[in-house]
Amino acid sequence: MDISSPTKVLFVCLGNICRSPMAEAVFTHMVNERQLADFFHIDSAGTAGYHVGNRPDSRSVATCKAHGVPVNHFARQVCPGDYEEFDFILCMDKSNLEDLMDMRPKGSKAVVSLFGAYDELKPNSIIEDPYYGGNKGFEVNFEQVTRCSEGLLKSLGF
Ligand code: 4NP
């Protein structure tokens, strides 16, 4: 693996305040704990712009905090340049995937896929939108993004 060209991973959901900042935080934490930070550039974004500039949802932050995972992000929307910059654009549900494929510039080489593709326990699982539900949804999301992060690292040879 070449430190001079880190693998660039963008996590995407709808609003970029619940699932994708959680995925960004969990993957970043795992990478830091394994002293792999030099090998990655990690960010998150939303397909929609409703929450641009906002901090992550307090329930997402509380769930991460309960597991000792720090969260540090301001919401932003996916832009065409992301398809140039990132090697992997990993999203949470099929609607995110459809939106990302619709926005994808011609000739983009970024791998665009469900993050759940890396879930070894439940292959191709959907990481459901927790926004209108209770805290349990955030805990389920946390377990999923943890498994998917493990799977992603493994698939990259770490
Ligand atoms: P996220 O969750 O896509 O995981 O950030 C949502 C956040 C906000 C809304 C929907 C989903 N919303 O409708 O405002």
Side-chain angles (χ1 to χ4, degrees):
M1 214 31 93
D2 180 2
I3 298 186
S4 64
S5 65
T7 299
K8 297 180 181 176
V9 183
L10 180 69
F11 295 106
V12 173
C13 60
L14 175 63
N16 192 214
I17 56 167
C18 298
R19 293 165 291 175
S20 61
M22 178 188 277
E24 177 191 349
V26 167
F27 190 64
T28 300
H29 187 62
M30 201 175 276
V31 155
N32 288 340
E33 280 204 316
R34 298 178 190 192
Q35 276 143 32
L36 298 173
D38 288 343
F39 298 106
F40 289 97
H41 171 73
I42 305 160
D43 195 7
S44 67
T47 56
Y50 327 124
H51 298 283
V52 168
N54 292 354
R55 285 290 194 183
D57 188 288
S58 57
R59 296 165 295 176
S60 214
V61 175
T63 305
C64 286
K65 208 173 162 193
H67 290 274
V69 174
V71 182
N72 185 19
H73 186 72
F74 288 99
R76 73 170 182 87
Q77 194 167 12
V78 176
C79 64
D82 288 328
Y83 292 83
E84 278 273 322
E85 181 176 0
F86 289 91
D87 303 301
F88 291 88
I89 301 179
L90 302 176
C91 63
M92 306 298 142
D93 62 34
K94 287 190 174 154
S95 162
N96 305 152
L97 188 57
E98 273 173 25
D99 291 342
L100 285 170
M101 293 314 266
D102 287 348
M103 284 188 266
R104 185 183 205 176
K106 259 196 172 154
S108 157
K109 292 196 179 69
V111 172
V112 179
S113 114
L114 287 171
F115 192 24
Y118 299 91
D119 187 338
E120 291 188 333
L121 186 67
K122 296 178 184 169
N124 290 317
S125 64
I126 298 302
I127 301 171
E128 302 282 355
D129 182 348
Y131 190 64
Y132 293 107
N135 291 338
K136 178 80 172 61
F138 287 83
E139 188 57 38
V140 172
N141 290 162
F142 187 91
E143 287 162 17
Q144 287 182 291
V145 300
T146 300
R147 286 201 307 271
C148 295
S149 294
E150 296 272 9
L152 176 58
L153 279 181
K154 209 164 153 186
S155 81
L156 293 171
F158 290 104

